[in-house]
Amino acid sequence: MDGIQIRFAEPGDAAQIANLFSGGLRQDFAQLLIYGCRGAPEYIRKQLASGIPSAESAYFVAQAPGGIIGAAELRRQPNRLLLNYIGVHPGYRGQHAGTTLLSAAVGMSGVNSGQIELDVLDDNVRALQWYRRLGFTTRTSAEFLELATSDGADEGPAYVSGLPQADLCQERFGFSKFNLITGKGTFSVGRIGETWFRLTDLAAIGDPAVFAALNRLDPARRIFAIVPASSAPPLQVVRPLAKTHRMETDIAHLSDVLSVR
């Protein structure tokens, strides 16, 4: 697009990046993600201010004469990229701003070969169609499910690891992560905003000690899990919250497609 400059993000861009990311999502879904939390702008600013050139996350912005109109985050690994977020101001959608931003961000990421993947909501038809036109195909699907909580009964021992550090992070950013250790394993637990505990391990969903421990920690919080589609026991599911698709394509192929658009 004429007049649009794609550049690496700077600390002063953090609030606008957070707004673009959360503003492009359904409000009920945004509250399940760290970038929908109150401390997201400060979290992004801290990452950008670190000045680490080899940081996993790289942020990019589309700068127009009137301000920032798009932003993207790529997470980098050897021979692999994850497009974690991309957002464009509503006034610039449908004008190839997203294509321009994605093309430049991939080229600037420093990862030139291998695969690039992303997650997209099942009901985001416009985004799904765009990614398919770019050559992305669906590999797996996941569900965000609210789960029934325990009544707090003693279901066996469960030990909490890393809670003091998590409390500091929660206070600063509005999200955090700690571990629960039970007889069945060690499970990562996220706290998202003031409402949710987040689980991502199927084994944790099947462990009553996890639910009893979370109920003791904060009985007011609800629990949701991100698990492969159709994998959670139906009796534990209170309601589905969202469904996403993990899509993937070859970086070199994507670059070729973007270069002719």
Side-chain angles (χ1 to χ4, degrees):
M1 288 184 63
D2 294 338
I4 303 294
Q5 174 195 2
I6 310 302
R7 59 173 175 82
F8 285 103
E10 301 171 354
D13 303 325
Q16 291 170 280
I17 293 172
N19 286 337
L20 283 164
F21 287 170
S22 61
L25 297 168
R26 292 184 347 228
Q27 186 174 2
D28 63 324
F29 184 67
Q31 69 172 327
L32 305 177
L33 308 174
I34 64 173
Y35 288 150
C37 294
R38 57 173 171 77
E42 176 64 8
Y43 174 69
I44 296 171
R45 189 194 70 78
K46 290 285 287 183
Q47 291 186 83
L48 295 173
S50 69
I52 302 173
S54 58
E56 179 191 19
S57 286
Y59 291 87
F60 307 87
V61 295
Q63 179 80 51
I68 292 172
I69 58 91
E73 179 200 358
L74 285 172
R75 293 187 178 176
R76 304 177 289 188
Q77 298 178 11
N79 298 315
R80 182 165 291 274
L81 289 172
L82 171 67
L83 178 60
N84 200 40
Y85 288 93
I86 186 168
V88 173
H89 188 279
Y92 286 83
R93 292 173 188 166
Q95 303 180 41
H96 303 293
T99 301
T100 301
L101 173 58
L102 179 58
S103 179
V106 170
M108 296 163 65
S109 71
V111 182
N112 302 313
S113 62
Q115 300 297 112
I116 178 170
E117 55 190 7
L118 56 88
D119 294 311
V120 60
L121 281 165
D122 178 68
D123 60 4
N124 192 343
V125 176
R126 184 173 181 174
L128 276 166
Q129 291 175 341
W130 181 49
Y131 292 132
R132 286 169 181 155
R133 288 197 301 270
L134 295 179
F136 285 88
T137 56
T138 299
R139 299 303 185 201
T140 59
S141 299
E143 292 176 317
F144 289 62
L145 304 170
E146 182 175 359
L147 302 178
T149 58
S150 166
D151 61 6
D154 185 7
E155 299 286 358
Y159 303 99
V160 183
S161 174
L163 190 59
Q165 302 94 314
D167 285 343
L168 291 173
C169 187
Q170 188 75 27
E171 181 178 353
R172 181 75 177 269
F173 301 119
F175 60 86
S176 58
K177 185 168 62 174
F178 58 89
N179 288 331
L180 272 180
I181 305 167
T182 77
K184 294 186 178 180
T186 299
F187 306 113
S188 176
V189 178
R191 285 185 295 190
I192 309 297
E194 305 304 320
T195 303
W196 296 101
F197 284 123
R198 179 193 65 201
L199 301 174
T200 56
D201 192 319
L202 270 176
I205 295 172
D207 189 344
V210 169
F211 289 82
L214 294 180
N215 185 70
R216 290 192 294 270
L217 278 173
D218 189 342
R221 279 187 182 268
R222 290 140 67 188
I223 300 172
F224 80 92
I226 309 172
V227 293
S230 304
S231 64
L235 291 178
Q236 285 187 264
V237 177
V238 175
R239 62 186 174 115
L241 301 170
K243 183 176 181 179
T244 61
H245 302 294
R246 173 61 58 99
M247 305 185 78
E248 186 177 77
T249 191
D250 183 76
I251 293 172
H253 172 75
L254 176 64
S255 298
D256 288 343
V257 172
L258 291 170
S259 68
V260 298
R261 289 179 177 266

